[in-house]
Amino acid sequence: MYKVAVMGDLDSIVGLSALGLEIFPTEQADEAARLLKQLAGSGYAVIYVTEALAASIPEEIARYRYERVPAIILIPGIGGNTGAGLENVRVSVEKAVGMDILN
């Protein structure tokens, strides 16, 4: 059975543990890159990453862009929404349908 993980600063992700998601607090880019690689190879089908943390490891996030598993989904952190998560969804939809349907 697949698992779901959440990575980011503790303040942003701690509440998600109440939903049954496994949380992995981290704020350091080098640690986050290693952790993402470890989680991806450990049966996690979905890995939520705060937008701020994802901004510090774009190459590692990009590595999984065309992989079926895991799905890397950006979520806003406690500091607010940067728009990165929505932009990723827009790009995915554009690739799927061949055009930008939001503009």
Side-chain angles (χ1 to χ4, degrees):
M1 177 175 228
Y2 287 117
K3 303 178 275 185
V4 178
V6 184
M7 295 174 51
D9 62 281
L10 183 61
D11 290 339
S12 294
I13 67 172
V14 70
L16 296 172
S17 65
L19 299 174
L21 304 178
E22 293 185 56
I23 63 167
F24 296 89
T26 184
E27 295 184 49
Q28 305 300 319
D30 58 340
E31 180 184 348
R34 282 192 303 273
L35 180 59
L36 182 59
K37 187 174 182 178
Q38 177 186 351
L39 294 173
S42 300
Y44 287 87
V46 178
I47 303 172
Y48 293 100
V49 181
T50 59
E51 292 173 338
L53 184 60
S56 70
I57 55 168
E59 298 85 15
E60 195 64 31
I61 298 284
R63 175 182 306 212
Y64 301 101
R65 180 166 289 139
Y66 299 106
E67 297 295 321
R68 203 177 101 156
V69 174
I72 309 294
I73 304 189
L74 305 187
I75 59 173
I78 199 165
N81 186 351
T82 66
L86 182 58
E87 178 61 18
N88 281 349
V89 170
R90 187 192 67 73
V91 168
S92 295
V93 169
E94 185 175 341
K95 286 180 183 175
V97 299
M99 60 189 267
D100 185 356
I101 63 170
L102 298 177
N103 289 324

